[in-house]
Structures are given as C-alpha cells and as structure tokens.
Amino acid sequence: MSNGGSRRTTDPRGTGAGKGPVYGRRDVLGLGAVGGAMLALGPLLSACESSAVPAVPAAQGPRRGGLLRIAGAGVQSETKNVFNTNSPQEIIRNRHLFDWLGYMEGGKPVPYIVESIEPAADVSKWRVKIRKEARFSDGSPVTADDVLFSLYSASDPKIGGGLLSAAAASIDFKASRTVGTDVVELRLTDPLADMDTQLYAGKVYVIKKDSRLTAPENFTVDNVVGSGPYTLTDLKVGQSAKLTLNKNYWGGAVLGEGPYLDEIEVFNIPDPAARLNALLGGQADLAAKLDYAGTKVNASNSAFSFAETDRVYANEGCFIMNARQKPFDDPRVRLAFKLACDRQALVQGALLGFGSPANDLQGVGFPDYYGDELPQRAHDPAQAQALLRQAGVTGETVEISVFPGVGTAAAAQIYAEQLSKVGMKAQVREITPAELFKNFPTFSNIQVLAVAVPGNQPFATSVAPRSLVSKSTFNVSGWLNADWDRRLLAARATTDQAKRKNLMLELQKEFWDDSGWIVWGYQTIVNGMASSVHGVRLDGVEDAPSVRRAWKS
C-alpha cells in the first residue's frame, strides 16, 4: 500500500533458500510407488547428462559455469505463452527468460525493471520509472514503450489470460502514455492507493514491443525478446526446455550476484515421487515441489538438502463451496461446513505436518491482510450439526472435486470423513487441469472444489480482483456481493492508513463470516537439491524456484 511517496529500489538479495524440514510424528506408509516411479520416465531422463563441473568447496564462494538440471512440476498441456502459464515448470522457464516489473517478497515490493513507482496526490494516476540500465537480450534498451506494451498485452484476456490480466485491469490504456523514454504514466479507471502493490504482485513480464506481435498466438517464449539472464535455445513443449546464459545480462551488477550457470535445463516430471527419484538418482540437480512422504524418508540424507517455505509463501489448502449450487446457497450450510473442518487434523494427515492451520482468508503476511486479528475459526461439529438441521440438509450428499496438487486428494478424503461426523455425505472425484481451465462453465457446476491455491498473494490487489469480486474470472465460490465489491474499491482508494485498515478489516470480517471459502491450511512447499547446488532462492513463486544466483560446486 502506498503512503503517497516513492517506492525506491531495495536490495532483493535477502536470505537463502529456506529453513530445514519440519518432522511430524506420523509414520510414512505406502511408499512402494516412490521406489518404482523412475521406471515411467523413459528416455527423457537418460538424455540428461551430468555436466562436468570440477568440485569446488562451497566455502570458496560462487563459481561460474556448468549445467543445472531441474525436475519441474509440469503438465502435458504446456503452453508457450509468455504471460499465461499452466504449471510451475513453465514459470521456472519464463522467470529466467524474462524480468518482472518487480515482485512481492515478504510482503514488501522488490523492483526489477522499475526504479520507482510514484502516485499523484489523488492516486488517479501513477508514474513508473524504468531503470536506464535495463537491456533486452538483443542489446536494445528497455523503454517506457516496451513496458506499456507489456502491461497492455498482459491485460488482454486473449493473450495474458484471466490470472495475470488482473494485474493491469485497473489501467485506462487509452489515457495512459509514455513520458520520454523511461517513464510510463498510468491513468487508472478508478483511483487506487495500492497500484504499486498490484503491479508488483501481478508479476508481469516485460517483453520487447515488436510489430510481429499482432495476434495472441504470437506471444510465445520462442517468438518474443526478453531481458532475463538466459535465452531459450531449445523447447520441446510438454517435455523440456534448455536455457543458455545471456552473457550481456544487465541485472547482475544492479540487482545482485549472478547469473553463474552456463545452462539450465527444465524437464517435465508431473509426478512428485518421480521428481524426487530423479534427484536421488542423479538425473536432476534440483527437484521442485516434492511430496511430503518422500521428503520425510530422505531428510537425513547428507547428499541432499530440502528447502521448505514458511506460511507467507506456502500454497493455501482450500475447500471452496459454490454458493450458486444447493445446498451452499444457504449461509447456514456454508458456516456449518467451516465449523466441521478440523484444520489441525488436515495439516497432520494430508500434509504430514508440513504446514500450519489457516483462518479462511488468503494473503497472510502481505499488505491489507488482517486475518490474524480475527478469531481463529473453531472446529465445532456440534454447532455444525445444529446449523445443518436448521437448514434441513442433514443426510444429503455433496460432491468434492479435487484439483491435482500435493496433499489435495488426501485432504479431500479426510474432510469427507469429517463431514460424515456431522451428518453429511461426501463423494470425492478428481478433475484434470484441462477439464477445469478449458471449460470455464465447469466452475459454476462444481459444488465443492478442493485445491491448493499456488503463490500466496496480497488480498486487496490480487486475491480479490482475481477470485472474490463478482466479475472476477475465477470466482469459483459464486459469492456475489456488489456492495462488498463497491466498498472494496473505496477502501483501495483510501490513502489514510488508519481509515484504510478499518475498512479492510470490516470487509475481511464480512467475507470470513459469509463466503464459501474454507482456507484450512498453509501447505509448505519443499524443493530438493543435490549438495553441490547452492544459491537457489524461493523468492515470490516457491513451487517455481529461482536459480538466477545459483551455482554448482
């Protein structure tokens, strides 16, 4: 949230990859699939040769050179779109080919391409100043025209898609303009005191404005020019991508150390157990988004390290009730389902202790989150039963649709058992990303969606525009409240800090009371690394780690 002053560049280097794993008390069962998972990888991993890098003690500091092989959490329906991605694997690829305007780390803005973002007194327009040092991989400077073009493209649903278009949805592009070569003046459709946070949280990549980019299908990673530390040298859609060092990268001296690696290879292994086995077997140097059972079994292996996120950067385990569908059109039923949820049991059972209970609001640790000032939602099955009897739905069956994710299916099964104890029946079925994202009407037909929402984001500037307000693209809950939408916009235009907090707290309390969202837990993300890998960061998108400053000993 802005205080009316300039947001100046900060040092984004910070701390390392994270703390060690947390161990639970439960025994790990049923790991037979882990041992045999590598058999399914076929020729993909056999083609990934180990890079010849002389051993250097880590204490001597970073060294240059070498190939880093990353086992990514990908999907077969991979997209080459620069702005709209389907999987963490694609994000790993894109975040090394392109630079963001900036991002949010620990609730604070970290600029990349921008030097400062300054509002007018009435916060109806903002000036974005571009770093003069910024260069594209072809050597040309990053200009205000390029930044405005990138924002416009990301805001186009046909190009940027619903997820990233929220970052620029408040911009009046017809009225916005460039001032010289390094300043963009953004005029807004409505005054916003938090536009800087919205731009950083949106993680919009900057691409070079090009006359070839006239159709949505042209905005692909192999057809646009970025300013990142690496360039794309090979892409097999749905399988792998190879990136080569941009030796003229502009950001090393300005933003911190690196890049050090000569090459990065990201290959797609959808199964988390198989990703872990790729790491353990030496076919990968870094494995993203591992499952908890495999991590617990191998945590004491000194040949590897496992970096774990805290709750600010965790995925959020959610059950989203659809108020468009019966019985969730009744607020008593929505509240009963919240009270029936034993969050601690879900953390221990579905996440094996890798996480912590949440309180039905997204955005923890970021600006405008006040969930910690609300009482922790109780587990009260007796009250849940009473509410369900009042609503006349006891004994009915609901369907929980599971979107694939680490711990999500297990959480749905445990929650179904919890619902049975308050007199409800639940059927659990798994759905595919293609089923959900290629057929948006599917959203309105789901009764309950079990999902791990990736990449914790600020409540007011990202979560609400994307999935809570009435006209948002991903309003799965069908909780439509035009007055709430109006008051949210008014709160976002408020520059007085104390008044803004009161308004936001009231809005979040109302949402906490009445919406269909059960945010039951912060799901820790675990990334595994060989002991020879150093400097991996978890900044911003933890299931898609950054290796911009990584190196191998």
Side-chain angles (χ1 to χ4, degrees), residues 7 244 288 341 473 509:
R7 290 298 174 91
T244 301
C341 182
T473 306
K509 174 64 166 59

Side-chain angles (χ1 to χ4, degrees), residues 403-416:
F403 189 78
V406 175
T408 310
Q413 293 291 350
I414 293 170
Y415 186 47

Side-chain angles (χ1 to χ4, degrees), residues 125-463:
K125 57 187 177 183
W126 289 72
R127 283 201 167 192
V128 181
K129 186 174 183 181
I130 315 305
R131 293 182 189 268
K132 293 184 180 296
E133 303 92 341
R135 292 289 185 275
F136 289 110
S137 59
D138 64 2
S140 60
V142 178
T143 68
D145 276 337
D146 299 313
V147 169
L148 189 57
F149 176 75
S150 299
L151 287 168
Y152 178 78
S153 302
S155 73
D156 186 340
K158 295 179 181 179
I159 299 172
L163 288 174
L164 285 182
S165 62
S170 304
I171 300 172
D172 182 347
F173 284 103
K174 291 183 179 180
S176 298
R177 63 192 181 105
T178 60
V179 181
T181 60
D182 60 351
V183 173
V184 178
E185 184 178 88
L186 298 176
R187 301 197 175 214
L188 308 184
T189 55
D190 297 285
L192 294 176
D194 53 17
M195 190 63 195
D196 50 352
T197 301
Q198 181 158 324
L199 289 173
Y200 286 127
K203 302 188 188 76
V204 176
Y205 295 119
V206 175
I207 63 173
K208 186 174 181 178
K209 185 177 180 180
D210 194 311
S211 59
R212 296 175 303 155
L213 302 178
T214 56
E217 60 268 22
N218 295 337
F219 285 79
T220 58
V221 294
D222 53 358
N223 193 46
V224 301
V225 178
S227 64
Y230 291 87
T231 58
L232 185 69
T233 52
D234 184 66
L235 177 62
K236 296 180 176 63
V237 177
Q239 299 181 42
S240 63
K242 181 167 282 190
L243 284 59
T244 301
L245 177 67
N246 173 10
K247 294 184 179 179
N248 298 315
Y249 179 56
W250 66 274
V254 177
L255 298 171
E257 306 89 346
Y260 299 111
L261 299 163
D262 284 338
E263 292 182 301
I264 302 169
E265 184 172 11
V266 188
F267 47 92
N268 176 16
I269 306 181
D271 181 67
R275 288 196 294 276
L276 175 62
N277 263 348
L279 175 68
L280 300 177
Q283 290 86 11
D285 305 300
L286 167 64
K289 205 172 184 180
L290 298 178
D291 78 327
Y292 304 129
T295 298
K296 290 173 80 71
V297 168
N298 293 280
S300 61
N301 190 333
S302 61
F304 307 95
S305 62
F306 297 92
E308 177 184 330
T309 60
D310 60 23
R311 68 174 191 158
V312 174
Y313 289 129
N315 286 351
E316 292 164 320
C318 301
F319 301 120
I320 308 175
M321 299 171 283
N322 189 348
R324 302 180 189 91
Q325 297 284 328
K326 290 184 177 299
F328 302 110
D329 56 343
D330 189 326
R332 294 172 296 183
V333 177
R334 296 196 294 269
L335 179 56
F337 271 58
K338 295 175 184 179
L339 295 170
C341 182
D342 186 339
R343 296 149 205 272
Q344 187 62 49
L346 284 164
V347 169
Q348 293 303 318
L351 309 183
L352 303 184
F354 285 84
S356 59
N359 196 26
D360 295 346
L361 282 172
Q362 294 176 268
V364 64
F366 285 90
D368 290 332
Y369 174 83
Y370 300 110
D372 289 338
E373 298 191 21
L374 297 174
Q376 173 62 48
R377 180 81 68 191
H379 173 224
D380 191 340
Q383 178 65 12
Q385 282 183 311
L387 288 167
L388 293 170
R389 284 195 298 267
Q390 292 174 19
V393 298
T394 300
E396 290 190 11
T397 300
V398 298
E399 184 176 76
I400 302 176
S401 299
V402 177
F403 189 78
V406 175
T408 310
Q413 293 291 350
I414 293 170
Y415 186 47
E417 294 175 10
Q418 294 173 0
L419 290 173
S420 70
K421 296 177 181 178
V422 298
M424 296 295 293
K425 300 174 184 177
Q427 296 177 342
V428 177
R429 75 176 186 104
E430 295 196 23
I431 57 177
T432 66
E435 181 182 355
L436 197 60
F437 289 124
K438 291 185 178 180
N439 181 23
F440 284 110
T442 299
F443 279 128
S444 62
N445 295 325
I446 287 174
Q447 280 189 299
V448 181
L449 179 65
V451 62
V453 177
N456 184 27
Q457 295 287 313
F459 181 89
T461 60
S462 184
V463 174

